[in-house]
Amino acid sequence: MKSLLKLTWVELKLFFREPLTLVFSFALPVVFLLVMGGVFGNKPDTTGMHIYRGVGAVNYYNPAYIALVLASIGIVAMPVHLTAYRERRVLKRFHASSLSVWHIVGSQVLVSFFIAVLGSILLTIVSMLVYHSEAPKMWGYLIPAFILGTLCFTSLGVMLGAILPNTRAAQGVGLMLFFVMMILGGAGPPPEVMGTVMRDVGKATPIWYVIELLQDPWLGFGWQVIASLIVGGITLVATAITVKFFKWD
Amino acid sequence: MECKKSPSIFDNSLSPSYDLMVMLNGSVIEVSNLRKTYKSIAAIDDVSFQVREGEIFGLLGPNGAGKTTTVECLQGLRHRDSGIIKVLGFDPEADASSLKKLIGSQLQESALPDRIKVWEALDLFASTGKIAVDWSALIEQWGLKEKRNAAFGTLSGGQRQRLLIALALVNNPKVVFLDEMTTGLDPAARRVTWDLIKAIRDRGTTVILVTHFMDEAENLCDRIAIMNNGKLAALDTPQNLINIHANQIKVIFSTERTDIDWLKTVPHVHTFSRNGRQVAVEGDGPVLALVASELVKHGIVPLDLRKEQPSLEDVFLKITGRSVVE
């Protein structure tokens, strides 16, 4: 336990010392929120197309960009971090000490949660101050949805870190997945105006369901049962793949 | 016969067979018939040895001899194909978590995250041991005091290496594994490192040293295992290895004269060879004096006549057929 907390504390400091991941986790979502809010405002759509699910754009995007924060931690930061650890034999050195896989994974999960909470609060404060967006409506559903979403992207990040051969691959694959998810998964243009192909691609990404999971309680629409099952399923599959393919060196 | 058990300096949480093992034969590591194969190539081929408590045990051998694989098996970092390993009474794989708290490790070519600070690394690894350790003494001993708050990525090669050795010692290990520990250190730092490692041994820690430096092995090791092609080729004290495997004395001198075949008839001379002007005579016992007097008789008075003591290098060359620096 002592080692886990020490490792988590070190990992947290390392996260804050890495400029690239800070940009992706804290700056990018806020910038997008400001841009989208600047373009679309926060007035509900009145054209009858039911764009943004009938709510203001910023109200819509706030939970969506929280999902983007989670994705940036899991998809951009973590795979590079873990593959670099393997490449530089840091993992092996951990293995030679009494640190186990569970220390490594546990510290990543704890760091993810910390960064996710911090990034989400930052994002929400900005959207409330600048666009007077509405506060989440159903906290009782939102909190478990947030936990599930964070676990999902953390497990995907650890999985990518386990299966990708090196940091170059992790950078390439991570950024590609991140941008596809950002643009098509529900954090880009409103799904209502996307073509079917774009929407199908978006629906093939995990962020689509994490956004649904977060957005519904945020906007007061309730709990998304199917999305929660899909997100939970992805988490389990990613964890199983990690257990199977994880290597210390 | 009554066998009185001496009080153990180790705490009781060590495995029960450990005390027995040390009591019976003084060994902290027992390896028997260890085998490890990578894709049909035998990396370790039926290796057995014991390491005694409180000794510096060297593993010496050419690249690919199986040294690193052996110590990695001992630390539970690699799965062995067969054989028995007991380290402090523990099986390194089955009892990995118990064992790892008691051993220290410096791995070949391992690194730390670039942005971790020296003190953070020491603090983190100190927490992985059995008992809380004060690492402030280590930071001073290993000359890292000024670098306490420096990030790993900004350290020089020598500083990194010293930090990695310090990390191997930070959990107060009973056995410490050092794999090519002086790689990247300058000659002065190597000497200091040797002294520090001897001091650690003198405090009762057993040291397993993997090296390809002859001077390091000769200077530091109480016993040396020479590995070659996955096999244990020899195991003894440095002096015994030399006495047994390199008992030939070499006498060297230079001359322009080529009519020196009579050298063969000098008593105690075994062979001689010529390389340009330089002649190397191999023999034993009083060969130097006998060769010298014959040279004078034949009117050869070289200025550079000298005797070369056999060294570990000669042993290594003889056993492995290779020189280390190839």
Side-chain angles (χ1 to χ4, degrees):
Chain A
M1 196 61 199
K2 188 182 62 181
S3 306
L4 176 64
L5 293 179
K6 278 256 158 82
L7 183 60
T8 305
W9 180 229
V10 169
E11 291 284 9
L12 202 56
K13 288 193 272 189
L14 291 177
F15 194 98
F16 278 100
R17 287 173 197 161
E18 181 63 66
L20 187 77
T21 54
L22 289 182
V23 166
F24 273 93
S25 305
F26 293 123
L28 203 66
V30 171
V31 169
F32 273 103
L33 183 96
L34 289 172
V35 171
M36 289 305 208
V39 174
F40 298 105
N42 199 23
K43 293 225 164 60
D45 171 47
T46 50
T47 61
M49 274 180 72
H50 213 65
I51 284 175
Y52 292 127
R53 309 180 76 181
V55 302
V58 178
N59 287 346
Y60 173 94
Y61 278 124
N62 194 346
Y65 287 149
I66 285 179
L68 198 64
V69 172
L70 307 187
S72 80
I73 300 165
I75 305 297
V76 179
M78 209 169 282
V80 174
H81 189 65
L82 291 175
T83 47
Y85 268 17
R86 184 167 331 93
E87 216 163 68
R88 308 189 56 189
R89 294 179 173 232
V90 176
L91 277 186
K92 193 167 186 179
R93 182 60 190 85
F94 282 161
H95 191 32
S97 72
S98 57
L99 295 172
S100 68
V101 175
W102 303 113
H103 286 101
I104 316 282
V105 173
S107 67
Q108 294 300 321
V109 171
L110 290 174
V111 168
S112 285
F113 269 104
F114 189 86
I115 305 293
V117 169
L118 213 63
S120 305
I121 290 173
L122 176 73
L123 196 66
T124 308
I125 287 175
V126 171
S127 88
M128 280 179 167
L129 286 180
V130 180
Y131 299 111
H132 310 290
S133 65
E134 286 169 37
K137 292 206 166 66
M138 304 167 98
W139 283 99
Y141 286 153
L142 182 63
I143 291 170
F146 182 83
I147 292 173
L148 194 54
T150 308
L151 285 177
C152 176
F153 277 116
T154 309
S155 67
L156 283 171
V158 174
M159 180 196 83
L160 290 175
I163 60 176
L164 292 174
N166 53 44
T167 43
R168 283 164 167 275
Q171 262 162 359
V173 171
L175 285 179
M176 195 188 70
L177 288 176
F178 180 78
F179 283 117
V180 168
M181 286 200 277
M182 191 184 81
I183 292 162
L184 299 178
E192 292 86 351
V193 303
M194 293 197 292
T196 34
V197 176
M198 283 165 79
R199 214 164 21 199
D200 287 345
V201 173
K203 277 185 175 173
T205 63
I207 201 170
W208 183 282
Y209 305 99
V210 174
I211 288 176
E212 281 188 345
L213 201 57
L214 290 167
Q215 220 169 32
D216 278 36
W218 191 286
L219 299 172
F221 298 160
W223 181 260
Q224 268 276 2
V225 178
I226 293 173
S228 66
L229 291 176
I230 293 173
V231 172
I234 293 171
T235 310
L236 291 180
V237 170
T239 307
I241 292 175
T242 304
V243 169
K244 176 130 179 55
F245 291 102
F246 181 84
K247 274 204 208 104
W248 290 98
D249 60 347
Chain B
M1 191 176 77
E2 202 180 88
C3 181
K4 200 177 159 203
K5 189 172 183 283
S6 61
S8 169
I9 57 163
F10 299 102
D11 54 84
N12 298 324
S13 56
L14 288 174
S15 76
S17 64
Y18 171 61
D19 274 348
L20 191 69
M21 209 163 90
V22 172
M23 196 170 65
L24 288 177
N25 55 18
S27 66
V28 287
I29 295 176
E30 304 234 13
V31 178
S32 17
N33 310 105
L34 177 62
R35 275 177 206 279
K36 170 82 190 170
T37 308
Y38 296 121
K39 292 179 192 151
S40 81
I41 297 160
I44 310 174
D45 188 3
D46 197 20
V47 165
S48 305
F49 61 87
Q50 297 177 355
V51 178
R52 295 173 195 145
E53 186 177 13
E55 74 174 340
I56 300 179
F57 184 90
L59 274 166
L60 194 66
N63 288 339
K67 310 177 297 262
T68 294
T69 308
T70 302
V71 288
E72 288 187 351
C73 286
L74 293 182
Q75 295 175 77
L77 295 173
R78 242 171 241 300
H79 175 72
R80 60 184 186 268
D81 295 342
S82 64
I84 297 167
I85 303 178
K86 290 277 176 197
V87 180
L88 297 164
F90 292 108
D91 181 307
E93 282 182 76
D95 316 311
S97 61
S98 313
L99 176 63
K100 281 172 181 169
K101 284 184 173 30
L102 300 167
I103 61 175
S105 175
Q106 175 258 313
L107 300 170
Q108 202 180 348
E109 285 164 13
S110 89
L112 295 172
D114 269 342
R115 290 188 168 89
I116 198 170
K117 291 176 179 170
V118 167
W119 77 267
E120 289 170 341
L122 285 159
D123 196 45
L124 173 64
F125 282 96
S127 78
T128 63
K130 229 178 155 45
I131 37 167
V133 185
D134 178 22
W135 42 262
S136 54
L138 274 175
I139 214 168
E140 203 147 324
Q141 271 173 5
W142 292 92
L144 295 163
K145 212 177 165 201
E146 279 84 52
K147 292 286 166 187
R148 197 179 183 280
N149 290 313
F152 183 78
T154 68
L155 299 179
S156 72
Q159 288 163 344
R160 286 178 186 207
Q161 195 64 14
R162 279 183 275 140
L163 174 59
L164 292 170
I165 302 172
L167 290 179
L169 302 166
V170 77
N171 59 336
N172 258 340
K174 311 236 174 280
V175 177
V176 61
F177 296 89
L178 302 168
D179 196 344
E180 302 290 0
M181 68 163 178
T182 57
T183 303
L185 295 185
D186 59 51
R190 287 182 72 205
R191 294 272 163 190
V192 174
T193 303
W194 292 352
D195 288 342
L196 285 166
I197 296 297
K198 279 180 188 160
I200 288 157
R201 185 255 332 260
D202 294 342
R203 285 201 299 272
T205 305
T206 308
V207 180
I208 316 297
L209 190 76
V210 174
T211 186
H212 69 275
F213 291 117
M214 291 297 145
D215 54 346
E216 187 162 296
E218 204 164 343
N219 246 291
L220 213 49
C221 294
D222 298 306
R223 288 192 308 145
I224 296 170
I226 297 181
M227 288 189 76
N228 193 30
N229 296 328
K231 289 193 168 68
L232 186 66
L235 169 59
D236 216 320
T237 62
Q239 199 50 56
N240 281 349
L241 284 173
I242 292 167
N243 293 346
I244 295 162
H245 297 279
N247 46 9
Q248 299 240 326
I249 297 167
K250 229 183 231 175
V251 175
I252 294 169
F253 61 91
S254 302
T255 177
E256 299 289 350
R257 298 256 297 266
T258 50
D259 55 327
I260 51 171
D261 274 353
W262 47 264
L263 268 171
K264 276 186 204 151
T265 61
V266 178
H268 295 280
V269 168
H270 302 162
T271 59
F272 79 95
S273 60
R274 203 181 170 111
N275 183 14
R277 295 183 66 242
Q278 195 173 71
V279 179
V281 182
E282 279 188 18
D284 61 66
V287 65
L288 176 64
L290 294 169
V291 169
S293 82
E294 284 302 314
L295 284 173
V296 175
K297 269 188 218 160
H298 286 83
I300 303 172
V301 278
L303 295 172
D304 62 347
L305 178 70
R306 65 191 186 275
K307 183 173 99 169
E308 265 185 16
Q309 265 329 328
S311 69
L312 205 54
E313 188 114 34
D314 299 305
V315 177
F316 191 86
L317 196 65
K318 190 170 169 206
I319 289 178
T320 67
R322 291 184 254 189
S323 95
V324 188
V325 281
E326 58 184 30

